Amino acid sequence: MHYPTRWHDVADVRVLKAKTGEWHKLSLWRADMTRRGWSLLKVTTTDTELMAVFGKTKAPQASQP
Protein backbone atom coordinates (compact mmCIF):
# COMPACT_ATOMS: atom_id res chain seq x y z
CA MET A 1 0.00 0.00 0.00
CA HIS A 2 1.29 3.46 -0.84
CA TYR A 3 -0.69 5.54 1.67
CA PRO A 4 -1.73 5.25 5.34
CA THR A 5 -4.49 2.74 6.04
CA ARG A 6 -6.20 5.19 8.39
CA TRP A 7 -7.15 7.37 5.41
CA HIS A 8 -9.93 4.87 4.69
CA ASP A 9 -11.50 5.71 8.07
CA VAL A 10 -12.15 9.33 7.11
CA ALA A 11 -12.18 9.45 3.33
CA ASP A 12 -13.08 7.64 0.17
CA VAL A 13 -9.80 7.02 -1.64
CA ARG A 14 -9.09 6.63 -5.36
CA VAL A 15 -5.72 5.64 -6.77
CA LEU A 16 -4.86 6.52 -10.36
CA LYS A 17 -1.76 5.12 -12.06
CA ALA A 18 0.15 5.89 -15.24
CA LYS A 19 3.38 4.79 -16.84
CA THR A 20 6.51 6.88 -16.38
CA GLY A 21 6.59 9.66 -18.95
CA GLU A 22 2.84 10.29 -18.73
CA TRP A 23 3.13 13.13 -16.20
CA HIS A 24 0.65 15.16 -18.26
CA LYS A 25 -2.07 12.82 -16.99
CA LEU A 26 -1.59 14.12 -13.44
CA SER A 27 -2.77 17.62 -14.36
CA LEU A 28 -5.77 16.18 -16.20
CA TRP A 29 -6.67 13.90 -13.27
CA ARG A 30 -6.28 16.71 -10.76
CA ALA A 31 -8.51 19.09 -12.73
CA ASP A 32 -11.20 16.44 -13.21
CA MET A 33 -11.10 15.10 -9.66
CA THR A 34 -11.03 18.58 -8.07
CA ARG A 35 -14.07 19.56 -10.10
CA ARG A 36 -15.83 16.53 -8.59
CA GLY A 37 -14.87 17.46 -5.01
CA TRP A 38 -11.79 15.23 -4.59
CA SER A 39 -8.44 16.40 -3.20
CA LEU A 40 -5.01 15.24 -4.30
CA LEU A 41 -3.49 13.61 -1.21
CA LYS A 42 -0.26 12.09 -2.45
CA VAL A 43 1.83 11.56 -5.57
CA THR A 44 4.55 8.93 -5.79
CA THR A 45 6.75 7.76 -8.61
CA THR A 46 8.95 4.78 -9.34
CA ASP A 47 11.12 4.01 -12.34
CA THR A 48 8.07 2.66 -14.16
CA GLU A 49 4.96 4.24 -12.62
CA LEU A 50 3.29 7.44 -11.45
CA MET A 51 0.62 7.04 -8.77
CA ALA A 52 -1.77 9.75 -7.56
CA VAL A 53 -3.97 9.23 -4.50
CA PHE A 54 -7.14 11.31 -4.28
CA GLY A 55 -9.48 11.54 -1.29
CA LYS A 56 -12.94 12.82 -0.54
CA THR A 57 -14.22 13.18 3.00
CA LYS A 58 -16.74 10.48 3.84
CA ALA A 59 -20.25 11.55 4.72
CA PRO A 60 -21.01 11.07 8.44
CA GLN A 61 -22.56 7.69 9.17
CA ALA A 62 -26.11 7.82 10.52
CA SER A 63 -26.10 6.48 14.06
CA GLN A 64 -27.90 3.19 14.56
CA PRO A 65 -30.67 3.13 17.26
Side-chain angles (χ1 to χ4, degrees):
M1 185 177 340
H2 301 292
Y3 55 88
T5 305
R6 68 182 180 277
W7 286 4
H8 283 283
D9 295 337
V10 295
D12 291 319
V13 177
R14 298 291 181 266
V15 178
L16 303 176
K17 297 180 181 182
K19 294 178 184 176
T20 300
E22 297 179 326
W23 275 94
H24 65 280
K25 287 186 176 184
L26 179 60
S27 63
L28 297 173
W29 294 337
R30 187 171 189 177
D32 185 50
M33 296 297 277
T34 300
R35 185 172 38 89
R36 297 172 189 230
W38 293 80
S39 297
L40 179 60
L41 303 176
K42 185 175 183 178
V43 175
T44 59
T45 61
T46 66
D47 290 340
T48 60
E49 183 177 71
L50 162 72
M51 182 185 78
V53 180
F54 290 86
K56 188 175 191 179
T57 305
K58 286 185 177 182
Q61 300 273 336
S63 56
Q64 302 272 334

